[in-house]
Amino acid sequence: MQTTWAYISNYCVYSAMAVFTISFIAHAFETAFAVRAPEAADSTDGNLLLKTLDYKRTEKSARIATAMMILGFILLLAGIVARGISNGHVPWGNMYEFSITGALAFTGAYLAALRKYDLRWLGLFVSLSVLLTLGTAITLLYRNSAPLVPALKSTWLVIHVLAAIISGGVFLLANVVAGAYLYLERVEARGQRPLWLQRVPSLEVLDQLSYRLVAFVFPLWTFAVIAGAIWAESAWGRYWGWDPKETWAFITWVAYAAYLHARVTVGWRGRRAAWLCIFAGSTFLFNYVYVNVWGSGKHTYSGL
């Protein structure tokens, strides 16, 4: 029975990859074919620029892209649930399981933000990032279903890891937005935006969105760090031991706290805030990738 659920999980993850691929292609089609030949050559009042973009022509492909993103999210969720059933515990015992769940959180953060903001222009990058994550997971990180190591057999596994994964998904989305800000700022410094960037919101909107995402999820990350310390006391008899993973989790907390502090009290905006956001996100990724795979200490649960 457990083997059957493991196969179901794999099929769902593979199916999700196929669907995310369709979403990526549809997003690429939307971006490429929204540009059409100009009907007028009046460049004095901007009519030329306005008349060379027509997203109504690609509205159908845009809807397909979003629908495939939602379907991919559902299939990936089903794959994670099936993996948990095959394991007999929540599926967060190794890097493969962390990665597919992280991809789910990243996609979920994008779809949730999409309900309020026009972020469909990010769909191309989100779908590509998820495909790369899932591709790496199934080719390099895959491990068969297995029981948890003793230290992970705790209710805190659900509380701590779930909070950390959700936080990571939102943090990474904020980083993508901050990266888009930096790129767009450089483009605008050289002159007018190219056609394919016309749909991207203004620099002010990107700056504010990145801040709101971090401010929204920072309390959850704080809770994840505190929950980890409580779990450490229960498992190892101490709240904090400066283990590499604990240390980098704290560094990430400090970096995002500095970002929020700089925004609220010092008034940092724009380029400096975006770079600080990306730096904070890089500490999270370093902890997730390097410390998990090559680090040492009590948190080496990568399974590699």
Side-chain angles (χ1 to χ4, degrees), residues 159-269:
I159 300 172
H160 168 65
V161 178
L162 182 61
I165 289 175
I166 294 174
S167 299
V170 179
F171 280 151
L172 294 181
L173 181 61
N175 285 359
V176 172
V177 175
Y181 176 95
L182 292 172
Y183 177 76
L184 190 59
E185 183 192 42
R186 177 174 295 184
V187 169
E188 290 188 353
R190 295 198 296 262
Q192 201 171 35
R193 294 188 187 188
L195 293 176
W196 66 278
L197 280 176
Q198 290 302 312
R199 194 171 190 177
V200 180
S202 66
L203 292 175
E204 292 75 14
V205 172
L206 294 177
D207 182 56
Q208 188 69 14
L209 176 58
S210 180
Y211 164 70
R212 287 180 177 178
L213 288 170
V214 173
F216 170 76
V217 82
F218 182 74
L220 184 62
W221 178 249
T222 303
F223 170 77
V225 174
I226 295 173
I230 296 173
W231 186 10
E233 196 281 332
S234 175
W236 302 314
R238 49 80 171 166
Y239 288 101
W240 199 267
W242 296 106
D243 181 89
K245 197 166 186 65
E246 296 171 349
T247 302
W248 278 98
F250 180 68
I251 290 173
T252 299
W253 186 90
V254 171
Y256 276 115
Y259 168 79
L260 293 175
H261 176 76
R263 292 271 318 195
V264 174
T265 63
V266 184
W268 277 23
R269 297 289 189 275

Side-chain angles (χ1 to χ4, degrees), residues 51-80:
K51 290 186 177 181
T52 52
L53 281 173
D54 186 5
Y55 281 102
K56 293 181 180 179
R57 303 173 64 200
T58 56
E59 182 64 27
K60 185 175 181 179
S61 63
R63 292 185 178 183
I64 292 174
T66 302
M68 291 299 100
M69 188 78 75
I70 295 172
L71 179 58
F73 176 86
I74 294 172
L75 287 170
L76 189 55
L77 176 62
I80 293 170

Side-chain angles (χ1 to χ4, degrees), residues 18 22 26 34 53 75 105 130 135 142 147 234 247 257 269 291 296 304:
I22 297 173
L53 281 173
L75 287 170
V130 171
Y142 183 81
S234 175
T247 302
R269 297 289 189 275
V291 175
S296 59
L304 302 177

Side-chain angles (χ1 to χ4, degrees), residues 114-188:
L114 191 62
R115 293 176 60 86
K116 185 174 182 180
Y117 298 95
D118 183 14
L119 294 180
R120 211 161 58 191
W121 55 274
L122 265 183
L124 187 67
F125 306 101
V126 172
S127 55
L128 178 60
S129 299
V130 171
L131 282 172
L132 291 174
T133 301
L134 294 179
T136 302
I138 65 175
T139 56
L140 301 178
L141 305 176
Y142 183 81
R143 292 296 180 268
N144 292 326
S145 299
L148 287 172
V149 298
L152 293 180
K153 294 179 180 179
S154 171
T155 306
W156 286 106
L157 174 65
V158 179
I159 300 172
H160 168 65
V161 178
L162 182 61
I165 289 175
I166 294 174
S167 299
V170 179
F171 280 151
L172 294 181
L173 181 61
N175 285 359
V176 172
V177 175
Y181 176 95
L182 292 172
Y183 177 76
L184 190 59
E185 183 192 42
R186 177 174 295 184
V187 169
E188 290 188 353

